[in-house]
Structures are given as structure tokens and as C-alpha cells.
Amino acid sequence: MLSLILSLTTYAEKNVPFWGLYGGKSGPSGWRCHVIQSDPKDDGPDGINVHDWDGDGTTDLFVNFEEGGLSRLYFNPGSKKVKKAWFDFIEFKHGKCEDSGIGDLDADGDIDYVANGGWVYFNPGKKKIRDTSSWKKMTLFNYERRVPTVIDVDGDGLNDLVVGAQEWYKQPQKGKHQAGNWKKFIIGSNLWPMNCIIYDLDNDGDRDMIVPDRGREICWYVNPGKGKVRNMWERKTLHAHHEPMFITIANVNGDQFDDLVITGGSKGKLAGKLIVLLRVNNSGEPIFKEIIINQPSGIFPKGVAVIDLDGDLKKKEILVIPKSGDLWSTTYKNDSYDPKDWQATPLVIPGSETRKKMDNAWLGDLDNDGDLDVITTEENGGWGVIWFENPLYDSSKLHRTTSD
């Protein structure tokens, strides 16, 4: 009988997908991976936008699917159901889509969606948010242009659209839903931008662009000033590593300066490393103290976020998502400028080896328990759209007597 039970158990485990076996199970540090929607057909989810789209006070997710040529807006089911699959979503068909962005592009107060830079979907408002036919689609162009970013480039009070971290489309005063009214201007040229971070790096009162240009370097484009933004922007090297993955900007060590964190990816002298650039000056050309941290787990560092993991408000931790393998975190003990004072710790979560191709780290309090969770996509292993539950606060206790 025991032999039969073991045989049936083994058979069942072999026929249950990885996300069914490991999803929701706790690791030794309390971290769990939850599945919002699995991807058994390999539509390839590859990017997330975090926002409360329906105005119910919970965090929803707009996800683009690269191979599937579609995007889905997933509505948060509430704290009691958030750790199960999310079945409430709408879908948009377009072309191959590896990137997306959000922002108000028609000045109506609602956040719109941009798939792959070229396809813009205008939000019809909260009352019609679930009616896909009410979303107006505008095709600016029909080819890949990475990291669509919404920002008021020229300071006229209207948000514009930056694509590929190298060109921008000016929002027109009228006819905003008609592509022909959007005029294009060139900023620069990039090979493969992983991020487009809008930030006043030289502290001169206007916002520059920081770009990890994969295959070349980490660069920044200097904003030439309000009257010259239609011209080419000066490109400067921020760091020479030529194969960066994602980066983030945050105050890592609690001083008055924001720092830069770069995941080293899989190629070059800094492959498998985390590069922490601690800024030491407040204006002009940025000056950094470089800290290099070895990965304690995973294939290679890919996604990154700065987040509170221990409740100590004096400093935050850096969390890294590798392409595959266990997530890990790092922080310093006493002196942030001493490389020997930094420690890296794996966050062991069941099924890590089966999550084959994860993406960047997006933050949001999905279970509404007061701490930020980590959201990402798993593109090639079937896990699909997933999130890692931050165990800083116990959401099951917080929501035990509440109703959604």
C-alpha cells in the first residue's frame, strides 16, 4: 500500500506544472512566489505597469506579452483572493511587444497605456475601464521601439512620449487621438536601452535621461534646456560597463544623494556582479564611489529594486532578480563606502530553478498589508505573471477579520 501511495504521489508531481507544485509555498525566510496567471502557451509576458486602474484602492497590473503580441490589464481581486490566480482581466491585441509604459497622453486625467512604443491605448475612464471597445487605439508606428516613457519634455504642461530613449513625440493641443498630429523629434541614438529613467542628474533644474544601453555603456543624455529640447541632446558616459541589464536610482545609504544601482548581466568583466554607484556630490557632473558585489545565487543579476526588507527606516536594501534562480538582497552593516562591509543574502523560494527567464523588479503592495511586494514576469518557464510576497508584515493576520 505504501509503495502504491508513493508511486501515485510521484506520478501526480510529474504531471503538475512547476507553478502548481511550488506556487505559494514558503521558503526558509518566509518569501513566497504567487502566480497571477500562468503561461503554458508561451505567450511570453515581458513587462509590467503598476497602477490602480479601476480606482478601488488596490494595485492592478497592465502586462505586455512579447511572443503573444498582446497586453492584459489584470484587476486586483482583493486581499482575500490576491494570492490565487487573477481571473478578472481585459485583453488587447497588437504586435510583438517587449516593452510598455503608462501615463496621461490626452490630458483628461486618466492614465493611458503604451505598448512597445508605437501602440497607444487611451483610457476611457473608470466607469468604462473593463469595456475594451471603449479604449481608443492610436498607432504612432508599427515596429519595435523600447522603453516607452511618458514625460512633459518641452514644459508646455502636456505629457509627451519618449520611445527608445532616443526620440520623442510631442502631444498636440488638439486631435490627440490622431497619430498624424503627433510630431517626432530626435534626442539621440541607442543600441538596446534597458531603461529610460527621467532624472535631473546634474541638478540644474531640468530632467535628463539615464539609459543602460546594452551592448555599449550606461549613458545619460543632458537636457539642453526648455528652448532646445527639439535638438539632439548631448550624450555622456555614466559607466563603461557595456552589457548592463536593468538599473534603478534611489538613496541607498541614507545620505542626501541618490545613488545608482546596475545589474551586471551575463557578459563582460562585470558579468554576475551588482554595481552600486554611491554618489558623493550634489550637482554638476556626478561623482560616484563604486561598490562591486558578487552574486550569491542565480544565473546572473537582471532586475533590481531598492526596498525596505527589515523594517529599519534608516536604510533600505537592494533586491536583485536574476534571470533564473533565487532572488537575493544586499546591504551594508556600518560603512557603505567599504566594499567589505556589504553582504549579499539569497532569498530561497521553492521552485527557483524552474523560473527560467525573469524580468525587472516592479514594486507594489499587492496584498495591501503595508509592505511592498516584488512583481515580475517569467517569460519562458510557464510561470507567467508572478509576484513575490514580502514577509515583512503578515498579510494573513492583517486581513483575517476584514472583508473585501
Side-chain angles (χ1 to χ4, degrees), residues 327-396:
L327 277 62
W328 55 277
S329 67
T330 183
T331 189
Y332 59 94
K333 186 176 180 180
N334 296 306
D335 183 3
S336 63
Y337 294 103
D338 182 358
K340 297 179 181 178
D341 210 29
W342 286 77
Q343 296 179 337
T345 305
L347 301 174
V348 179
I349 306 170
S352 61
E353 68 282 356
T354 69
R355 294 185 280 271
K356 296 180 181 179
K357 188 181 179 184
M358 293 184 287
D359 202 54
N360 202 5
W362 288 270
L363 301 179
D365 187 2
L366 292 190
D367 50 7
N368 199 29
D369 65 354
D371 57 29
L372 289 175
D373 306 299
V374 180
I375 314 156
T376 194
T377 53
E378 197 286 303
E379 187 177 352
N380 296 144
W383 282 78
V385 186
I386 58 178
W387 64 285
F388 297 94
E389 181 185 353
N390 189 338
L392 180 59
Y393 301 119
D394 191 338
S395 60
S396 63

Side-chain angles (χ1 to χ4, degrees), residues 46-47 64 66 96-100 116 144 146 192 357:
D46 193 20
N64 55 276
E66 181 179 358
K96 182 180 178 181
C97 183
E98 191 173 2
D99 269 305
S100 58
N116 200 35
E144 184 168 31
R146 292 178 55 85
W192 196 254
K357 188 181 179 184

Side-chain angles (χ1 to χ4, degrees), residues 213-234:
D213 191 7
R214 187 173 166 190
R216 294 176 67 183
E217 62 178 358
I218 299 97
C219 70
W220 65 294
Y221 285 92
V222 184
N223 191 319
K226 185 176 180 179
K228 299 179 180 180
V229 292
R230 299 185 181 189
N231 303 328
M232 294 283 285
W233 295 20
E234 181 183 5

Side-chain angles (χ1 to χ4, degrees), residues 157-355:
L158 298 175
N159 285 327
D160 308 302
L161 178 62
V162 178
V163 295
Q166 63 186 23
E167 57 199 41
W168 65 283
Y169 288 79
K170 177 178 172 57
Q171 183 179 152
Q173 294 290 335
K174 298 180 180 180
K176 300 175 187 295
H177 297 172
Q178 300 171 17
N181 294 329
W182 289 70
K183 189 174 182 180
K184 182 175 74 171
F185 301 94
I186 305 298
I187 289 174
S189 177
N190 298 303
L191 182 63
W192 196 254
M194 298 298 293
N195 294 89
C196 176
I197 299 179
I198 307 299
Y199 183 84
D200 186 3
L201 189 62
D202 51 11
N203 199 25
D204 64 353
D206 52 33
R207 291 181 289 180
D208 312 300
M209 288 197 316
I210 301 174
V211 183
D213 191 7
R214 187 173 166 190
R216 294 176 67 183
E217 62 178 358
I218 299 97
C219 70
W220 65 294
Y221 285 92
V222 184
N223 191 319
K226 185 176 180 179
K228 299 179 180 180
V229 292
R230 299 185 181 189
N231 303 328
M232 294 283 285
W233 295 20
E234 181 183 5
R235 174 176 173 141
K236 294 185 177 182
T237 298
L238 192 57
H239 193 281
H241 180 47
H242 65 274
E243 285 291 340
M245 297 301 288
F246 295 104
I247 68 175
T248 190
I249 294 179
N251 190 341
V252 172
N253 56 357
D255 61 9
Q256 59 180 318
F257 309 130
D258 284 339
D259 310 300
L260 185 66
V261 186
I262 307 163
T263 52
S266 62
K267 299 178 181 178
K269 294 181 179 179
L270 293 174
K273 311 288 186 182
L274 183 71
I275 308 161
V276 181
L277 302 180
L278 300 173
R279 186 159 186 177
V280 297
N281 70 326
N282 191 39
S283 61
E285 294 282 340
I287 301 173
F288 298 104
K289 165 66 176 178
E290 183 185 68
I291 305 293
I292 304 297
I293 299 170
N294 294 320
Q295 62 180 3
S297 59
I299 292 182
F300 62 80
K302 189 175 182 183
V304 63
V306 175
I307 181 175
D308 179 20
L309 298 178
D310 59 6
D312 181 1
L313 300 180
K314 295 181 180 179
K315 62 179 180 179
K316 294 183 179 180
E317 290 71 46
I318 300 171
L319 184 139
V320 176
I321 296 182
K323 178 182 178 182
S324 179
D326 283 313
L327 277 62
W328 55 277
S329 67
T330 183
T331 189
Y332 59 94
K333 186 176 180 180
N334 296 306
D335 183 3
S336 63
Y337 294 103
D338 182 358
K340 297 179 181 178
D341 210 29
W342 286 77
Q343 296 179 337
T345 305
L347 301 174
V348 179
I349 306 170
S352 61
E353 68 282 356
T354 69
R355 294 185 280 271

Side-chain angles (χ1 to χ4, degrees), residues 53-54 108 110 122-130 134-135:
W53 293 87
D54 56 4
D108 65 352
D110 295 316
F122 292 102
N123 186 338
K126 295 180 178 62
K127 292 183 179 180
K128 297 182 179 180
I129 198 75
R130 286 175 169 79
S134 295
W135 289 72

